Structures are given as structure tokens and as C-alpha cells.
mmCIF file of all heavy atoms in Angstrom:
data_model
loop_
_atom_site.group_PDB
_atom_site.id
_atom_site.type_symbol
_atom_site.label_atom_id
_atom_site.label_comp_id
_atom_site.label_asym_id
_atom_site.label_seq_id
_atom_site.Cartn_x
_atom_site.Cartn_y
_atom_site.Cartn_z
ATOM 1 N N ILE A 1 80.659 70.190 66.668
ATOM 2 C CA ILE A 1 79.881 70.127 67.805
ATOM 3 C C ILE A 1 80.675 69.625 68.944
ATOM 4 O O ILE A 1 81.282 68.438 68.839
ATOM 5 C CB ILE A 1 78.654 69.180 67.561
ATOM 6 C CG1 ILE A 1 77.747 69.792 66.367
ATOM 7 C CG2 ILE A 1 77.810 68.878 68.735
ATOM 8 C CD1 ILE A 1 76.713 68.865 65.904
ATOM 9 N N ALA A 2 80.662 70.178 70.099
ATOM 10 C CA ALA A 2 81.426 69.785 71.230
ATOM 11 C C ALA A 2 80.649 68.664 72.011
ATOM 12 O O ALA A 2 79.495 68.685 72.013
ATOM 13 C CB ALA A 2 81.600 70.954 72.107
ATOM 14 N N PRO A 3 81.440 67.835 72.683
ATOM 15 C CA PRO A 3 80.708 66.822 73.475
ATOM 16 C C PRO A 3 79.795 67.406 74.513
ATOM 17 O O PRO A 3 78.765 66.837 74.836
ATOM 18 C CB PRO A 3 81.852 66.022 74.124
ATOM 19 C CG PRO A 3 83.057 66.188 73.173
ATOM 20 C CD PRO A 3 82.773 67.731 72.621
ATOM 21 N N GLU A 4 80.172 68.588 74.989
ATOM 22 C CA GLU A 4 79.272 69.234 76.021
ATOM 23 C C GLU A 4 77.908 69.581 75.357
ATOM 24 O O GLU A 4 76.944 69.582 76.088
ATOM 25 C CB GLU A 4 80.000 70.492 76.608
ATOM 26 C CG GLU A 4 81.257 70.219 77.408
ATOM 27 C CD GLU A 4 82.499 69.941 76.475
ATOM 28 O OE1 GLU A 4 82.354 70.355 75.263
ATOM 29 O OE2 GLU A 4 83.371 69.330 76.865
ATOM 30 N N GLN A 5 77.917 69.973 74.156
ATOM 31 C CA GLN A 5 76.598 70.305 73.500
ATOM 32 C C GLN A 5 75.902 69.105 73.319
ATOM 33 O O GLN A 5 74.556 69.160 73.461
ATOM 34 C CB GLN A 5 76.889 70.973 72.141
ATOM 35 C CG GLN A 5 77.514 72.360 72.201
ATOM 36 C CD GLN A 5 77.901 72.847 70.794
ATOM 37 O OE1 GLN A 5 78.904 72.270 70.218
ATOM 38 N NE2 GLN A 5 77.250 73.754 70.296
ATOM 39 N N ILE A 6 76.418 68.028 72.918
ATOM 40 C CA ILE A 6 75.586 66.681 72.902
ATOM 41 C C ILE A 6 75.036 66.283 74.237
ATOM 42 O O ILE A 6 73.837 65.975 74.251
ATOM 43 C CB ILE A 6 76.446 65.579 72.307
ATOM 44 C CG1 ILE A 6 76.970 66.060 70.852
ATOM 45 C CG2 ILE A 6 75.814 64.319 72.350
ATOM 46 C CD1 ILE A 6 78.112 65.103 70.288
ATOM 47 N N GLN A 7 75.811 66.439 75.357
ATOM 48 C CA GLN A 7 75.413 66.079 76.532
ATOM 49 C C GLN A 7 74.105 66.954 77.050
ATOM 50 O O GLN A 7 73.130 66.541 77.495
ATOM 51 C CB GLN A 7 76.529 66.069 77.559
ATOM 52 C CG GLN A 7 76.043 65.774 78.946
ATOM 53 C CD GLN A 7 75.566 64.336 79.054
ATOM 54 O OE1 GLN A 7 76.101 63.339 78.402
ATOM 55 N NE2 GLN A 7 74.546 64.029 79.931
ATOM 56 N N SER A 8 74.263 68.230 76.811
ATOM 57 C CA SER A 8 73.299 69.219 77.312
ATOM 58 C C SER A 8 71.941 68.991 76.468
ATOM 59 O O SER A 8 70.884 69.146 77.010
ATOM 60 C CB SER A 8 73.742 70.657 77.182
ATOM 61 O OG SER A 8 74.038 71.061 75.807
ATOM 62 N N THR A 9 72.119 68.746 75.189
ATOM 63 C CA THR A 9 70.870 68.383 74.386
ATOM 64 C C THR A 9 70.297 67.123 74.807
ATOM 65 O O THR A 9 69.059 67.068 74.851
ATOM 66 C CB THR A 9 71.296 68.395 72.889
ATOM 67 O OG1 THR A 9 71.818 69.562 72.433
ATOM 68 C CG2 THR A 9 70.083 67.962 72.039
ATOM 69 N N TYR A 10 71.097 66.180 75.100
ATOM 70 C CA TYR A 10 70.413 64.821 75.629
ATOM 71 C C TYR A 10 69.707 65.149 76.892
ATOM 72 O O TYR A 10 68.632 64.650 77.041
ATOM 73 C CB TYR A 10 71.597 63.853 75.872
ATOM 74 C CG TYR A 10 71.134 62.695 76.696
ATOM 75 C CD1 TYR A 10 70.559 61.675 75.987
ATOM 76 C CD2 TYR A 10 71.370 62.592 78.047
ATOM 77 C CE1 TYR A 10 70.026 60.474 76.752
ATOM 78 C CE2 TYR A 10 70.821 61.503 78.802
ATOM 79 C CZ TYR A 10 70.266 60.469 78.158
ATOM 80 O OH TYR A 10 69.831 59.464 78.789
ATOM 81 N N GLU A 11 70.273 65.854 77.811
ATOM 82 C CA GLU A 11 69.575 66.182 79.141
ATOM 83 C C GLU A 11 68.299 66.894 78.783
ATOM 84 O O GLU A 11 67.316 66.875 79.566
ATOM 85 C CB GLU A 11 70.448 66.886 79.962
ATOM 86 C CG GLU A 11 71.613 65.988 80.512
ATOM 87 C CD GLU A 11 72.658 66.826 81.189
ATOM 88 O OE1 GLU A 11 72.639 68.063 81.463
ATOM 89 O OE2 GLU A 11 73.783 66.116 81.631
ATOM 90 N N LEU A 12 68.278 67.781 77.815
ATOM 91 C CA LEU A 12 67.139 68.734 77.443
ATOM 92 C C LEU A 12 66.007 67.826 76.957
ATOM 93 O O LEU A 12 64.872 68.069 77.424
ATOM 94 C CB LEU A 12 67.562 69.772 76.491
ATOM 95 C CG LEU A 12 66.526 70.704 76.134
ATOM 96 C CD1 LEU A 12 66.342 71.766 77.303
ATOM 97 C CD2 LEU A 12 67.075 71.580 74.880
ATOM 98 N N ILE A 13 66.280 66.989 76.038
ATOM 99 C CA ILE A 13 65.052 66.224 75.423
ATOM 100 C C ILE A 13 64.820 64.856 76.070
ATOM 101 O O ILE A 13 63.801 64.312 75.788
ATOM 102 C CB ILE A 13 65.532 66.002 73.930
ATOM 103 C CG1 ILE A 13 66.613 65.013 73.702
ATOM 104 C CG2 ILE A 13 65.622 67.343 73.166
ATOM 105 C CD1 ILE A 13 66.950 64.685 72.292
ATOM 106 N N ALA A 14 65.625 64.386 76.952
ATOM 107 C CA ALA A 14 65.582 63.006 77.550
ATOM 108 C C ALA A 14 64.119 62.817 78.140
ATOM 109 O O ALA A 14 63.556 61.691 77.933
ATOM 110 C CB ALA A 14 66.535 62.742 78.584
ATOM 111 N N PRO A 15 63.438 63.735 78.844
ATOM 112 C CA PRO A 15 62.121 63.496 79.372
ATOM 113 C C PRO A 15 61.044 63.232 78.308
ATOM 114 O O PRO A 15 60.051 62.848 78.658
ATOM 115 C CB PRO A 15 61.930 64.759 80.188
ATOM 116 C CG PRO A 15 63.210 65.560 80.325
ATOM 117 C CD PRO A 15 64.021 65.141 79.250
ATOM 118 N N PHE A 16 61.380 63.714 77.121
ATOM 119 C CA PHE A 16 60.362 63.639 76.080
ATOM 120 C C PHE A 16 60.379 62.617 75.060
ATOM 121 O O PHE A 16 59.465 62.388 74.236
ATOM 122 C CB PHE A 16 60.238 65.024 75.369
ATOM 123 C CG PHE A 16 60.195 66.178 76.336
ATOM 124 C CD1 PHE A 16 61.182 66.999 76.598
ATOM 125 C CD2 PHE A 16 58.946 66.453 76.979
ATOM 126 C CE1 PHE A 16 61.122 68.036 77.544
ATOM 127 C CE2 PHE A 16 58.913 67.506 77.945
ATOM 128 C CZ PHE A 16 59.971 68.241 78.171
ATOM 129 N N VAL A 17 61.645 62.036 74.958
ATOM 130 C CA VAL A 17 61.728 60.975 73.857
ATOM 131 C C VAL A 17 62.049 59.652 74.505
ATOM 132 O O VAL A 17 62.490 59.464 75.508
ATOM 133 C CB VAL A 17 62.949 61.404 72.913
ATOM 134 C CG1 VAL A 17 62.706 62.677 72.235
ATOM 135 C CG2 VAL A 17 64.265 61.472 73.685
ATOM 136 N N ARG A 18 61.775 58.628 73.696
ATOM 137 C CA ARG A 18 62.030 57.335 74.142
ATOM 138 C C ARG A 18 63.421 56.856 73.715
ATOM 139 O O ARG A 18 63.918 57.283 72.796
ATOM 140 C CB ARG A 18 61.036 56.244 73.358
ATOM 141 C CG ARG A 18 59.630 56.464 73.733
ATOM 142 C CD ARG A 18 58.743 55.479 72.935
ATOM 143 N NE ARG A 18 57.368 55.685 73.401
ATOM 144 C CZ ARG A 18 56.238 55.388 72.630
ATOM 145 N NH1 ARG A 18 56.492 54.983 71.365
ATOM 146 N NH2 ARG A 18 55.061 55.431 73.160
ATOM 147 N N ARG A 19 63.938 56.036 74.432
ATOM 148 C CA ARG A 19 65.290 55.397 74.317
ATOM 149 C C ARG A 19 64.892 54.166 73.222
ATOM 150 O O ARG A 19 64.173 53.248 73.592
ATOM 151 C CB ARG A 19 65.974 54.844 75.481
ATOM 152 C CG ARG A 19 66.428 56.046 76.414
ATOM 153 C CD ARG A 19 67.381 55.458 77.422
ATOM 154 N NE ARG A 19 68.477 54.709 76.825
ATOM 155 C CZ ARG A 19 69.653 54.903 77.288
ATOM 156 N NH1 ARG A 19 69.985 55.486 78.396
ATOM 157 N NH2 ARG A 19 70.680 54.179 76.700
ATOM 158 N N THR A 20 65.494 54.261 72.069
ATOM 159 C CA THR A 20 65.149 53.334 71.094
ATOM 160 C C THR A 20 66.348 52.438 71.001
ATOM 161 O O THR A 20 67.384 52.710 71.195
ATOM 162 C CB THR A 20 64.808 53.960 69.761
ATOM 163 O OG1 THR A 20 65.815 54.842 69.432
ATOM 164 C CG2 THR A 20 63.540 54.765 69.778
ATOM 165 N N PRO A 21 65.923 51.107 70.682
ATOM 166 C CA PRO A 21 67.014 50.059 70.614
ATOM 167 C C PRO A 21 67.828 50.129 69.407
ATOM 168 O O PRO A 21 67.358 50.682 68.282
ATOM 169 C CB PRO A 21 66.204 48.810 70.725
ATOM 170 C CG PRO A 21 64.998 49.022 70.122
ATOM 171 C CD PRO A 21 64.661 50.519 70.515
ATOM 172 N N VAL A 22 69.088 49.558 69.449
ATOM 173 C CA VAL A 22 69.982 49.423 68.263
ATOM 174 C C VAL A 22 70.058 47.881 68.154
ATOM 175 O O VAL A 22 70.266 47.131 69.085
ATOM 176 C CB VAL A 22 71.383 50.074 68.497
ATOM 177 C CG1 VAL A 22 72.270 49.736 67.430
ATOM 178 C CG2 VAL A 22 71.239 51.525 68.668
ATOM 179 N N ILE A 23 69.860 47.459 66.907
ATOM 180 C CA ILE A 23 69.931 46.086 66.616
ATOM 181 C C ILE A 23 70.936 45.819 65.448
ATOM 182 O O ILE A 23 71.081 46.755 64.621
ATOM 183 C CB ILE A 23 68.539 45.348 66.355
ATOM 184 C CG1 ILE A 23 67.924 45.953 64.987
ATOM 185 C CG2 ILE A 23 67.694 45.505 67.450
ATOM 186 C CD1 ILE A 23 66.753 45.203 64.497
ATOM 187 N N GLU A 24 71.468 44.646 65.387
ATOM 188 C CA GLU A 24 72.362 44.195 64.277
ATOM 189 C C GLU A 24 71.627 43.107 63.516
ATOM 190 O O GLU A 24 71.142 42.091 64.228
ATOM 191 C CB GLU A 24 73.679 43.791 64.811
ATOM 192 C CG GLU A 24 74.443 44.963 65.356
ATOM 193 C CD GLU A 24 75.966 44.515 65.749
ATOM 194 O OE1 GLU A 24 76.301 43.382 65.566
ATOM 195 O OE2 GLU A 24 76.657 45.465 66.187
ATOM 196 N N VAL A 25 71.666 43.199 62.246
ATOM 197 C CA VAL A 25 71.080 42.131 61.374
ATOM 198 C C VAL A 25 72.029 41.918 60.260
ATOM 199 O O VAL A 25 72.946 42.632 59.933
ATOM 200 C CB VAL A 25 69.711 42.665 60.807
ATOM 201 C CG1 VAL A 25 68.694 42.872 61.841
ATOM 202 C CG2 VAL A 25 69.754 43.858 59.968
ATOM 203 N N ASP A 26 71.808 40.862 59.507
ATOM 204 C CA ASP A 26 72.558 40.456 58.395
ATOM 205 C C ASP A 26 71.972 40.936 57.122
ATOM 206 O O ASP A 26 70.661 40.718 56.920
ATOM 207 C CB ASP A 26 72.715 39.043 58.200
ATOM 208 C CG ASP A 26 73.890 38.649 57.232
ATOM 209 O OD1 ASP A 26 73.785 39.076 56.002
ATOM 210 O OD2 ASP A 26 74.851 38.007 57.599
ATOM 211 N N ALA A 27 72.599 41.743 56.282
ATOM 212 C CA ALA A 27 71.976 42.247 55.047
ATOM 213 C C ALA A 27 71.432 41.138 54.118
ATOM 214 O O ALA A 27 70.429 41.443 53.350
ATOM 215 C CB ALA A 27 72.997 43.052 54.245
ATOM 216 N N SER A 28 71.898 40.007 54.203
ATOM 217 C CA SER A 28 71.454 38.905 53.403
ATOM 218 C C SER A 28 69.965 38.564 53.803
ATOM 219 O O SER A 28 69.207 38.018 52.943
ATOM 220 C CB SER A 28 72.266 37.705 53.532
ATOM 221 O OG SER A 28 72.221 37.150 54.852
ATOM 222 N N ASP A 29 69.556 38.925 54.971
ATOM 223 C CA ASP A 29 68.048 38.825 55.352
ATOM 224 C C ASP A 29 67.148 39.635 54.512
ATOM 225 O O ASP A 29 65.966 39.469 54.435
ATOM 226 C CB ASP A 29 67.834 39.137 56.820
ATOM 227 C CG ASP A 29 68.557 38.059 57.710
ATOM 228 O OD1 ASP A 29 68.918 36.978 57.357
ATOM 229 O OD2 ASP A 29 68.742 38.494 58.963
ATOM 230 N N PHE A 30 67.757 40.641 53.796
ATOM 231 C CA PHE A 30 66.945 41.631 53.054
ATOM 232 C C PHE A 30 67.413 41.409 51.539
ATOM 233 O O PHE A 30 67.096 42.281 50.795
ATOM 234 C CB PHE A 30 67.331 43.078 53.473
ATOM 235 C CG PHE A 30 66.805 43.244 54.949
ATOM 236 C CD1 PHE A 30 67.796 43.249 55.902
ATOM 237 C CD2 PHE A 30 65.480 43.412 55.238
ATOM 238 C CE1 PHE A 30 67.498 43.407 57.190
ATOM 239 C CE2 PHE A 30 65.224 43.584 56.605
ATOM 240 C CZ PHE A 30 66.237 43.598 57.566
ATOM 241 N N GLY A 31 67.901 40.343 51.124
ATOM 242 C CA GLY A 31 68.212 40.136 49.784
ATOM 243 C C GLY A 31 69.484 40.760 49.158
ATOM 244 O O GLY A 31 69.743 40.772 48.066
ATOM 245 N N MET A 32 70.340 41.273 50.103
ATOM 246 C CA MET A 32 71.663 41.960 49.700
ATOM 247 C C MET A 32 72.756 41.028 50.110
ATOM 248 O O MET A 32 72.577 40.009 50.713
ATOM 249 C CB MET A 32 71.685 43.280 50.523
ATOM 250 C CG MET A 32 70.709 44.226 50.187
ATOM 251 S SD MET A 32 70.874 45.808 51.013
ATOM 252 C CE MET A 32 70.473 45.437 52.767
ATOM 253 N N ARG A 33 73.908 41.352 49.585
ATOM 254 C CA ARG A 33 75.033 40.514 49.814
ATOM 255 C C ARG A 33 75.282 40.538 51.378
ATOM 256 O O ARG A 33 74.980 41.633 52.056
ATOM 257 C CB ARG A 33 76.225 40.805 49.064
ATOM 258 C CG ARG A 33 76.859 42.073 49.355
ATOM 259 C CD ARG A 33 78.154 42.365 48.518
ATOM 260 N NE ARG A 33 78.471 43.676 48.574
ATOM 261 C CZ ARG A 33 78.605 44.602 47.575
ATOM 262 N NH1 ARG A 33 78.680 44.075 46.520
ATOM 263 N NH2 ARG A 33 78.727 45.896 47.754
ATOM 264 N N PRO A 34 75.861 39.399 51.956
ATOM 265 C CA PRO A 34 76.044 39.419 53.415
ATOM 266 C C PRO A 34 76.890 40.589 53.917
ATOM 267 O O PRO A 34 77.963 40.931 53.365
ATOM 268 C CB PRO A 34 76.674 38.128 53.608
ATOM 269 C CG PRO A 34 76.418 37.245 52.390
ATOM 270 C CD PRO A 34 76.176 38.294 51.223
ATOM 271 N N ALA A 35 76.420 41.278 55.012
ATOM 272 C CA ALA A 35 77.144 42.248 55.605
ATOM 273 C C ALA A 35 76.332 42.498 56.856
ATOM 274 O O ALA A 35 75.138 42.377 56.990
ATOM 275 C CB ALA A 35 77.188 43.557 54.855
ATOM 276 N N ARG A 36 77.137 43.026 57.916
ATOM 277 C CA ARG A 36 76.405 43.367 59.085
ATOM 278 C C ARG A 36 75.826 44.802 59.062
ATOM 279 O O ARG A 36 76.558 45.773 58.610
ATOM 280 C CB ARG A 36 77.452 43.384 60.343
ATOM 281 C CG ARG A 36 76.751 43.568 61.668
ATOM 282 C CD ARG A 36 77.746 43.530 62.695
ATOM 283 N NE ARG A 36 78.485 44.814 62.651
ATOM 284 C CZ ARG A 36 79.488 45.197 63.409
ATOM 285 N NH1 ARG A 36 79.978 44.239 64.184
ATOM 286 N NH2 ARG A 36 80.060 46.221 63.369
ATOM 287 N N LEU A 37 74.519 44.927 59.434
ATOM 288 C CA LEU A 37 73.826 46.227 59.231
ATOM 289 C C LEU A 37 73.536 46.487 60.843
ATOM 290 O O LEU A 37 73.088 45.684 61.616
ATOM 291 C CB LEU A 37 72.594 46.171 58.586
ATOM 292 C CG LEU A 37 72.761 45.888 57.043
ATOM 293 C CD1 LEU A 37 71.343 45.845 56.449
ATOM 294 C CD2 LEU A 37 73.536 46.953 56.405
ATOM 295 N N THR A 38 73.780 47.751 61.130
ATOM 296 C CA THR A 38 73.313 48.199 62.453
ATOM 297 C C THR A 38 72.238 49.201 62.369
ATOM 298 O O THR A 38 72.263 50.157 61.636
ATOM 299 C CB THR A 38 74.556 48.919 63.227
ATOM 300 O OG1 THR A 38 75.646 48.033 63.354
ATOM 301 C CG2 THR A 38 74.165 49.380 64.625
ATOM 302 N N LEU A 39 71.056 48.934 62.949
ATOM 303 C CA LEU A 39 69.928 49.701 62.802
ATOM 304 C C LEU A 39 69.471 50.363 64.034
ATOM 305 O O LEU A 39 69.383 49.640 65.176
ATOM 306 C CB LEU A 39 68.695 48.868 62.260
ATOM 307 C CG LEU A 39 69.015 48.041 60.938
ATOM 308 C CD1 LEU A 39 67.848 47.127 60.657
ATOM 309 C CD2 LEU A 39 69.285 49.007 59.814
ATOM 310 N N LYS A 40 69.176 51.585 64.115
ATOM 311 C CA LYS A 40 68.590 52.270 65.314
ATOM 312 C C LYS A 40 67.019 52.439 64.989
ATOM 313 O O LYS A 40 66.629 52.979 64.052
ATOM 314 C CB LYS A 40 69.165 53.605 65.384
ATOM 315 C CG LYS A 40 68.665 54.522 66.485
ATOM 316 C CD LYS A 40 69.540 54.363 67.674
ATOM 317 C CE LYS A 40 69.211 55.332 68.826
ATOM 318 N NZ LYS A 40 68.440 54.807 69.964
ATOM 319 N N LEU A 41 66.268 51.767 65.928
ATOM 320 C CA LEU A 41 64.806 51.660 65.637
ATOM 321 C C LEU A 41 64.044 52.882 66.002
ATOM 322 O O LEU A 41 63.182 52.852 66.907
ATOM 323 C CB LEU A 41 64.313 50.369 66.319
ATOM 324 C CG LEU A 41 64.943 49.138 65.882
ATOM 325 C CD1 LEU A 41 64.383 47.919 66.560
ATOM 326 C CD2 LEU A 41 64.977 48.980 64.340
ATOM 327 N N GLU A 42 64.298 53.959 65.334
ATOM 328 C CA GLU A 42 63.659 55.351 65.698
ATOM 329 C C GLU A 42 62.223 55.288 65.355
ATOM 330 O O GLU A 42 61.460 56.188 65.825
ATOM 331 C CB GLU A 42 64.333 56.430 65.039
ATOM 332 C CG GLU A 42 65.751 56.838 65.590
ATOM 333 C CD GLU A 42 65.581 57.321 66.952
ATOM 334 O OE1 GLU A 42 64.940 58.297 67.272
ATOM 335 O OE2 GLU A 42 66.094 56.668 67.903
ATOM 336 N N GLN A 43 61.677 54.296 64.531
ATOM 337 C CA GLN A 43 60.285 54.288 64.310
ATOM 338 C C GLN A 43 59.482 53.982 65.616
ATOM 339 O O GLN A 43 58.310 54.164 65.587
ATOM 340 C CB GLN A 43 59.992 53.327 63.168
ATOM 341 C CG GLN A 43 60.141 51.861 63.552
ATOM 342 C CD GLN A 43 61.420 51.251 63.521
ATOM 343 O OE1 GLN A 43 62.487 51.899 63.364
ATOM 344 N NE2 GLN A 43 61.473 49.855 63.395
ATOM 345 N N LEU A 44 60.135 53.592 66.622
ATOM 346 C CA LEU A 44 59.455 53.385 67.936
ATOM 347 C C LEU A 44 59.217 54.657 68.738
ATOM 348 O O LEU A 44 58.772 54.649 69.804
ATOM 349 C CB LEU A 44 60.238 52.278 68.689
ATOM 350 C CG LEU A 44 60.472 51.035 68.034
ATOM 351 C CD1 LEU A 44 61.317 50.077 68.919
ATOM 352 C CD2 LEU A 44 59.058 50.384 67.760
#
């Protein structure tokens, strides 16, 4: 996939989708061994 394809798709769908946040949490908050987790909150 070329960067131009990503950009054109972004421009195509941007009016219809929400920009969702990315957050960082510690895996130990979920009972796992400590590690940084990056989550994209697409459920929004």
C-alpha cells in the first residue's frame, strides 16, 4: 500500500468517521505483567 493510497482513503472517509483517541496504559492495570500498552479507542 502506497502512502498516497492511505492519504486518499483518509480524505474519502474523513467526513464520516470520528477521530478516536489513542491512549497508553500499563498492562499491570489488567492483571498482566507490567508493559506499556497503546490502545486505539475505536469503540467510540
Side-chain angles (χ1 to χ4, degrees):
I1 299 173
E4 296 80 22
Q5 290 173 292
I6 295 170
Q7 182 63 36
S8 67
T9 299
Y10 169 80
E11 291 169 4
L12 184 70
I13 67 173
F16 308 106
V17 297
R18 293 180 175 152
R19 288 190 63 143
T20 56
V22 174
I23 62 169
E24 291 186 359
V25 297
D26 194 306
S28 63
D29 292 342
F30 302 99
M32 299 183 286
R33 72 177 160 227
R36 186 181 76 187
L37 298 177
T38 303
L39 305 175
K40 178 92 167 112
L41 302 182
E42 287 295 299
Q43 75 273 19
L44 299 176

